[in-house]
Amino acid sequence: MSEFWIYFEKGLRHILNLSAYDHILFLIALTVPYAFKDWKKLLLLISVFTIGHSLSLLLSVFGAVIIKGNLADFSIPITILIVAFFNLFTAGKSSKQESISVVVFITLFFGIIHGLGFASYFKTILVGSPQSRLLSLSEFSLGIEASQIIVVFVVLILSYIIQTFFRFSKRDWTLVMSSFVIGVVLPMIISSEIWNT
């Protein structure tokens, strides 16, 4: 049971690490267009992200997929930027219902990209037989899912407070937060090591 908590905690810390805030930015961008009443959609989206993240880690751990670290590190802020721009162009539009399948597909793809970005480090902390590695990956994925639920819940609470007490419309809140995310992500893209290769 103690081994479960080791990898579960690593999954929690992977998302809730403020010095590696790319996942938090992604979750903010993913969450801001939604409200508490959309909890099923959000749970679906973060679960799909976790599936993609876990799938890419699994393929990487067993050597089926190998990607250069610079390329994966560059792709992560690009995925965040795409979600934030998607929010800017769809904020306040009633087409959110129809676009959920598009968002699910994109979220799965982005989960795969984020997992590939973490794969090289993750391989260094895994030990043991293939079965124990699979179990460790499952425990890590549960930690990721739990931490994503925490971040989404905090963003939803903040959204509720801002929209209720400060009278921001949902559209304005989405535009402001998506613009904030873009402002934080652009310097990450500009300073990426990929430009030096």
Side-chain angles (χ1 to χ4, degrees), residues 78-95:
I78 295 293
T79 62
I80 299 166
L81 187 69
I82 291 169
V83 173
F85 271 119
F86 180 80
N87 290 344
L88 289 182
F89 291 112
T90 60
K93 295 184 178 170
S94 60
S95 62

Side-chain angles (χ1 to χ4, degrees), residues 1-10 135-136 139-140:
M1 189 63 158
S2 63
E3 282 187 28
F4 169 83
W5 289 112
I6 290 171
Y7 285 100
F8 182 82
E9 184 183 4
K10 286 184 187 296
L135 182 61
S136 299
E139 295 160 353
F140 180 80

Side-chain angles (χ1 to χ4, degrees), residues 55-67:
L55 179 64
S56 60
L57 286 178
L58 179 71
L59 293 174
S60 178
V61 164
F62 291 105
V65 173
I66 300 169
I67 188 169

Side-chain angles (χ1 to χ4, degrees), residues 8-24:
F8 182 82
E9 184 183 4
K10 286 184 187 296
L12 281 174
R13 289 180 184 230
H14 178 58
I15 302 294
L16 299 177
N17 183 355
L18 293 179
S19 63
Y21 50 87
D22 55 341
H23 277 90
I24 294 173

